[in-house]
Amino acid sequence: MAALPVTGESRHPLRFGVNYTPSGRWFHSWLDLDLSEVRRDLADIAELGVDHFRLFPLWPLIQPNRGLLRTSAIADVLAVIDAAAEFGLDVSVDLLQGHLSSFDFVPTWLTTWHQASVFTDLRARAGITHYAGALTEAVTDRDNVFAVTIGNEVNNLWPANPAEPEAVRVWVADLVEVITSAARGRLVCYSAFDDAWYSPGHPFQPREVVSAGDLSTVHSWVFNGTSRIDGPLGPATLSHAEYLIELAVAGAEDPDRKVWLQEIGVPEPDVPAEHAAEFVTRTLAPLVGNPALYGVTWWSSHDIDHSLLDFPAREYSLGLFDVDHRIKPAGRSFAEIVRTAKTQAPQQHSQVVDCPVNPVRDPGRRALIAPGSDFHAAWVRSRAAGPTRIRFPAAG
Amino acid sequence: MAALPVTGESRHPLRFGVNYTPSGRWFHSWLDLDLSEVRRDLADIAELGVDHFRLFPLWPLIQPNRGLLRTSAIADVLAVIDAAAEFGLDVSVDLLQGHLSSFDFVPTWLTTWHQASVFTDLRARAGITHYAGALTEAVTDRDNVFAVTIGNEVNNLWPANPAEPEAVRVWVADLVEVITSAARGRLVCYSAFDDAWYSPGHPFQPREVVSAGDLSTVHSWVFNGTSRIDGPLGPATLSHAEYLIELAVAGAEDPDRKVWLQEIGVPEPDVPAEHAAEFVTRTLAPLVGNPALYGVTWWSSHDIDHSLLDFPAREYSLGLFDVDHRIKPAGRSFAEIVRTAKTQAPQQHSQVVDCPVNPVRDPGRRALIAPGSDFHAAWVRSRAAGPTRIRFPAAG
């Protein structure tokens, strides 16, 4: 039997979604869950044409004591998931928040007098394992939950919680195992911000990104220094998400392992508001045809009200909608990408750039692939001529 | 006009109360306030014959973001105060928890990425001032609220939150001012654990104890080393609360300033369970006639369920009731003291012991009055013969 031709139609459809940031009271809204407010937000999200959102429970609200899992708080999470189903939306649940927009939510049984590293302390790990297994089991009872992630950028909990690379490896592997055994076949994911790829001393390494769980996730933020290379609409800035995708493709042993662009956003002042819509289009249009791509989940659904204090300035304006539910220009661009991506043919990657270092095997030399490195510049130049794979050196 | 004779009847009646520890889910019960459970607990408390309890809201639940005071969480606090009124109980509200039984509740806007000392950081102090004023104004709307304390043993938040003595002085003074201006004439208090009296390097000093707010509060815990001097029922152990009261009397410039024994408890293993009832009687009976005493508030109303993990072992069994609402022998002893104290004549302090140091003026030499010091031993010996005041050296 002849192989089917590779066409846009034969691929698993690309998933599109948003990271759900409640429009009122941010994630503190979990403390007084108002499902009518949630439904109003989800109506906005559905209007974009997306199929899913990422949902972020707050760990200390669900497990305020190591021995106490609040059934009411888990019921709240399920209520939002059920509301999502009313709008035809699937949900990916991140368990361990953990870190959100510069704030760390860590229960009191792991701070000050009970200070212990969430990554290495046996008591901490026992509590987290209990939490992760129970919450996974609860949420995967719902048909519209398609994925479970350990937690949002768990590497942001370091260095407040010390860990060495080997301990991180064990921590991630243990949690993937626990979650997988409870997840009823749903996707199991791990996420880290991009110091895992670029920062030589960072104990979270590319190894886990490209091997833990069922696919690789990448989070692209051009405030990591990339926007300083060539400005808000320069080629390095606009291709940064794709660069991370290609790094994840190159680093995976499994050639069929997919990559989920789980976070990408348009941060001020790196990208001024007047360029936001163009940033969205010119970042996403070149990568949605990438056959390695599983999906794109935009950060975030809604802005943060300025009555909430102490956020980094850029966090307030990342929404595709403002706090009054008005769609922003970036939101319109994103919806247009979602609409047109369905008919886009898969890309051919006819070019490849050889990388001088394999950051998976040699994380101490990660700086050689960071934005601004010679290699990064070479990839950006090649990408200008067309989709470009990355090839790491073979094992020596 | 002749002075009235000093009799038991002419004094303001001694207040008795308990520190309210919810019997179910400890203070995490704020997250799912169940007023029927609260009323069941308050019925226990009322059964002791006491007139009040101390109430401990959780700061991060009321102010999860510096700009967000949750009206629903404040309404919960008021609901418990109103339930107290149904049982004829008055309430003293501690604002800044802050620290409870080894756990620190500090909002995320002051931890890790937003780490700042609650005592010195201007942003932190602005947020705390806002919180303290608003919560004081809310709770003193209720007639049965008779006192507001800055927070439970706020010095337990050090050293996680650095502070020098002068900064502590300013912090306490500012909060007393803010609370007083919102408190509609209710008592305003400050509390610290006894390192403030005994530990030479501790930045929280006796000065604030004997001058801040409307009276002095002392918290007596014999696990501070006192019980090792002469065992669970030895004279140093049984008189430790009274010793702290006398230190506070001696240190106050105002000779009429009262002292509130705001916490005293019977901790295992320092005092084995079979001696708990006797510890209560023999600690309190000698001091309830002290004319300087404002009141006695026992720690605590209820035990902690062992399904809740990570507490220091002694914290589980400090209740006068167990988690199933059964009164314990210590509870019966306490109720008997409450009943009999009403008719007890005020003590005459015919003895005085001179102290070699004034810890208010000379906090660097506080070790000279700590349990086990020569001075402490001299006071304990004198107290065996009758109530004994302490005299600090005159200013030199």
Side-chain angles (χ1 to χ4, degrees):
Chain A
M1 188 169 77
L4 288 167
V6 175
T7 72
E9 284 63 43
S10 77
R11 292 194 300 149
H12 182 80
L14 196 63
R15 301 204 74 139
F16 282 98
V18 295
N19 290 278
Y20 174 33
T21 302
S23 64
R25 296 165 296 131
W26 194 58
F27 294 102
H28 304 303
S29 55
W30 283 117
L31 284 162
D32 299 283
L33 184 66
D34 181 331
L35 285 171
S36 65
E37 286 184 19
V38 170
R39 288 193 179 93
R40 184 71 190 83
D41 289 346
L42 299 188
D44 294 340
I45 292 170
E47 185 185 317
L48 296 169
V50 300
D51 58 80
H52 75 274
F53 61 86
R54 266 175 98 201
L55 182 62
F56 301 102
L58 297 185
W59 173 28
L61 295 189
I62 295 181
Q63 192 180 28
N65 177 278
R66 187 163 61 95
L68 176 62
L69 289 175
R70 288 175 61 227
T71 51
S72 60
I74 294 174
D76 281 349
V77 175
L78 295 177
V80 176
I81 292 168
D82 291 342
E86 297 168 16
F87 291 87
L89 292 166
D90 289 345
V91 180
S92 172
V93 180
D94 278 60
L95 303 176
L96 207 70
Q97 281 71 238
H99 186 90
L100 287 165
S101 303
S102 83
F103 294 96
D104 284 351
F105 294 88
V106 177
T108 60
W109 50 274
L110 289 173
T111 60
T112 58
W113 293 51
H114 297 271
Q115 183 84 52
S117 171
V118 301
F119 300 117
T120 60
D121 180 76
L122 284 177
R123 180 179 64 86
R125 290 171 60 200
I128 290 168
T129 298
H130 178 53
Y131 167 79
L135 186 54
T136 300
E137 180 144 341
V139 300
T140 56
D141 175 66
R142 298 307 201 258
D143 289 340
N144 62 324
V145 170
F146 71 98
V148 176
T149 301
I150 293 177
N152 180 50
E153 298 185 357
V154 288
N155 58 332
N156 272 314
L157 298 175
W158 180 90
N161 297 270
E164 297 295 323
E166 183 57 20
V168 170
R169 191 191 65 75
V170 171
W171 187 85
V172 172
D174 284 357
L175 277 169
V176 164
E177 183 179 329
V178 164
I179 296 167
T180 301
S181 71
R184 308 169 207 240
R186 309 308 206 286
L187 285 178
V188 176
C189 309
Y190 156 74
S191 87
F193 79 97
D194 64 12
D195 269 6
W197 283 104
Y198 302 143
S199 182
H202 196 71
F204 292 73
Q205 301 181 341
R207 179 179 55 184
E208 281 71 48
V209 176
V210 300
S211 65
D214 296 315
L215 47 65
S216 303
T217 74
V218 292
H219 292 192
S220 175
W221 288 105
V222 298
F223 60 69
N224 66 351
T226 306
S227 70
R228 288 194 293 276
I229 297 173
D230 53 19
L233 299 174
T237 301
L238 294 173
S239 69
H240 181 254
E242 186 175 352
Y243 180 64
L244 278 171
I245 293 166
E246 293 299 340
L247 286 173
V249 169
E253 281 194 20
D254 174 2
D256 295 325
R257 185 174 168 97
K258 294 280 186 179
V259 183
W260 179 1
L261 178 54
Q262 202 182 34
E263 285 186 21
I264 167 142
V266 53
E268 295 185 79
D270 303 74
V271 183
E274 65 267 29
H275 297 313
E278 187 175 355
F279 176 94
V280 174
T281 304
R282 293 180 60 195
T283 292
L284 294 184
L287 63 76
V288 293
N290 194 325
L293 190 64
Y294 171 80
V296 176
T297 309
W298 196 266
W299 189 287
S300 60
S301 63
H302 293 83
D303 283 347
I304 298 171
D305 194 278
H306 282 274
S307 68
L308 299 177
L309 307 177
D310 300 331
F311 287 83
R314 61 173 169 255
E315 298 286 346
Y316 290 95
S317 56
L318 290 171
L320 298 176
F321 293 86
D322 68 20
V323 296
D324 296 317
H325 304 284
R326 289 179 296 230
I327 194 165
K328 294 163 64 182
R332 277 191 282 272
S333 288
F334 186 67
E336 179 64 12
I337 289 283
V338 173
R339 193 181 67 73
T340 56
K342 292 177 180 136
T343 56
Q344 182 156 343
Q347 292 168 330
Q348 304 298 321
H349 281 67
S350 53
Q351 304 177 99
V352 64
V353 174
D354 280 295
C355 185
V357 60
N358 182 335
V360 179
R361 284 205 312 275
D362 197 0
R365 299 174 69 207
R366 278 175 279 186
L368 294 177
I369 64 170
S373 64
D374 290 346
F375 170 73
H376 174 248
W379 183 87
V380 171
R381 279 193 303 275
S382 174
R383 180 62 189 85
T388 300
R389 289 274 185 244
I390 291 168
R391 185 160 52 209
F392 292 146
Chain B
M1 187 170 77
L4 287 169
V6 177
T7 69
E9 283 66 40
S10 75
R11 292 195 299 150
H12 183 77
L14 196 63
R15 299 204 74 141
F16 282 99
V18 296
N19 290 277
Y20 174 32
T21 302
S23 64
R25 295 165 296 132
W26 193 59
F27 295 101
H28 304 304
S29 55
W30 283 118
L31 284 161
D32 299 284
L33 185 66
D34 181 331
L35 285 171
S36 65
E37 285 184 19
V38 170
R39 289 192 178 94
R40 184 71 190 84
D41 289 346
L42 298 188
D44 293 341
I45 292 170
E47 185 186 315
L48 296 168
V50 300
D51 59 79
H52 75 274
F53 60 87
R54 264 175 99 201
L55 182 62
F56 302 102
L58 297 185
W59 173 28
L61 295 188
I62 294 180
Q63 193 180 28
N65 178 279
R66 188 163 61 95
L68 175 63
L69 290 175
R70 287 175 63 228
T71 52
S72 60
I74 294 174
D76 281 350
V77 174
L78 295 176
V80 175
I81 293 168
D82 291 342
E86 298 169 16
F87 291 88
L89 292 167
D90 289 345
V91 180
S92 171
V93 180
D94 279 60
L95 303 176
L96 207 69
Q97 283 69 239
H99 186 90
L100 288 165
S101 303
S102 83
F103 293 97
D104 285 352
F105 294 88
V106 177
T108 60
W109 48 275
L110 289 172
T111 62
T112 57
W113 292 51
H114 297 271
Q115 183 84 52
S117 171
V118 300
F119 301 118
T120 61
D121 180 76
L122 284 177
R123 181 181 61 88
R125 290 171 60 199
I128 290 168
T129 299
H130 179 54
Y131 167 79
L135 187 53
T136 299
E137 179 144 343
V139 300
T140 56
D141 175 68
R142 298 307 201 259
D143 289 338
N144 63 324
V145 169
F146 71 99
V148 176
T149 301
I150 294 176
N152 181 49
E153 297 186 357
V154 288
N155 58 332
N156 271 314
L157 298 175
W158 180 91
N161 296 271
E164 296 296 325
E166 183 56 22
V168 169
R169 191 192 65 73
V170 172
W171 187 85
V172 172
D174 284 356
L175 277 169
V176 165
E177 183 180 328
V178 165
I179 296 168
T180 300
S181 72
R184 309 169 205 240
R186 309 309 206 286
L187 286 177
V188 176
C189 308
Y190 156 74
S191 87
F193 80 97
D194 64 12
D195 269 7
W197 283 104
Y198 302 143
S199 182
H202 195 72
F204 291 75
Q205 300 182 342
R207 180 180 53 183
E208 281 71 48
V209 176
V210 300
S211 65
D214 297 314
L215 47 65
S216 303
T217 74
V218 292
H219 292 192
S220 175
W221 289 105
V222 298
F223 60 68
N224 66 349
T226 306
S227 72
R228 288 194 294 277
I229 296 173
D230 52 19
L233 299 174
T237 302
L238 294 174
S239 68
H240 180 255
E242 186 176 350
Y243 180 64
L244 278 171
I245 292 166
E246 293 299 341
L247 287 173
V249 169
E253 282 195 20
D254 175 1
D256 294 325
R257 185 175 167 96
K258 295 280 187 178
V259 183
W260 180 2
L261 178 55
Q262 201 183 35
E263 285 186 22
I264 164 132
V266 52
E268 294 186 78
D270 302 74
V271 184
E274 65 267 29
H275 297 314
E278 187 174 354
F279 175 94
V280 173
T281 304
R282 294 180 60 192
T283 292
L284 294 185
L287 63 76
V288 292
N290 194 327
L293 191 64
Y294 171 79
V296 176
T297 309
W298 196 266
W299 189 286
S300 61
S301 64
H302 293 84
D303 284 347
I304 298 171
D305 195 278
H306 281 275
S307 68
L308 298 177
L309 306 177
D310 301 330
F311 287 84
R314 61 173 169 256
E315 299 285 346
Y316 289 96
S317 55
L318 290 171
L320 298 176
F321 293 87
D322 68 19
V323 296
D324 297 318
H325 304 284
R326 288 178 297 230
I327 193 166
K328 294 163 66 181
R332 277 191 283 270
S333 289
F334 186 68
E336 179 64 12
I337 289 283
V338 173
R339 193 181 65 75
T340 57
K342 291 176 182 139
T343 57
Q344 183 157 341
Q347 291 169 331
Q348 304 296 321
H349 282 67
S350 53
Q351 305 177 97
V352 64
V353 175
D354 280 296
C355 185
V357 61
N358 183 335
V360 178
R361 284 204 312 275
D362 196 0
R365 297 173 72 206
R366 278 175 278 184
L368 293 176
I369 65 169
S373 65
D374 290 346
F375 170 72
H376 173 247
W379 183 87
V380 171
R381 278 193 305 274
S382 174
R383 179 62 188 87
T388 299
R389 290 270 186 248
I390 291 169
R391 185 161 52 211
F392 292 146

